[in-house]
Amino acid sequence: MPGWLPGAVLGGAALASGLLAGLLWGFACAVVPGMRRAGPDASVAVFRGVNAVIVRPVFLLALLGAPLLAGVGLVLVVADARAAVPCAAAGLAGLLATLAITVAVNVPINERLARAALGTAGARAAAWALVDGPWHRANRVRTATATAGAVLLLVATQVAA
């Protein structure tokens, strides 16, 4: 195996994780707070629109590709650069936590929002409360786990070099 391969794979995983963390951070610090200012009616409509378009290959490449590359990178460093194993394993754990939070919390809320009957102002306010409450809290946690994953994978690339 070429000596540069573990670092390259871990670097790709770190890049994908960083892109994902940036997207999630954007929602945490700007998108959801900005929608909060717009009120429930506009926010629910926009959030439904975002949910309808986000599941695309470019997003899935980061969400699923980052942990996949991190797993491959971990296997490579086990075989070739053992000192990088702890950081690579911790980075992978951060990405798996990000994926688990997404699947367990954020996606079900997105699906609930997509199915919600929004005929009254109260229904729209209740739907928005799901996003501005539990969805937003989970998003902040997965932003931290994706960021930690990216940082740890970057460290692993340096240790593997």
Side-chain angles (χ1 to χ4, degrees), residues 27-28 31-33 35-36 39-40 43-48 50-51 105-114 116 118 123-140 142:
F27 269 86
V31 175
V32 173
M35 288 182 175
R36 187 180 299 137
S43 298
V44 168
V46 169
F47 209 78
R48 277 180 153 181
V50 168
N51 287 338
V105 180
N106 298 92
V107 169
I109 292 172
N110 292 348
E111 291 172 350
R112 189 169 167 195
L113 184 64
L118 302 173
R124 291 186 295 279
W128 175 245
L130 288 172
V131 174
D132 198 23
W135 189 97
H136 191 45
R137 284 190 297 275
N139 186 62
R140 289 190 306 252
R142 68 186 180 154

Side-chain angles (χ1 to χ4, degrees), residues 57-117:
V58 69
F59 172 70
L60 294 175
L61 185 62
L63 181 66
L64 303 175
L68 178 64
L69 282 172
V72 171
L74 178 59
V75 169
L76 293 175
V77 295
V78 164
D80 194 50
R82 293 185 194 276
V85 168
C87 286
L92 174 59
L95 295 174
L96 292 174
T98 303
L99 186 58
I101 293 164
T102 300
V103 170
V105 180
N106 298 92
V107 169
I109 292 172
N110 292 348
E111 291 172 350
R112 189 169 167 195
L113 184 64
R115 292 188 311 269

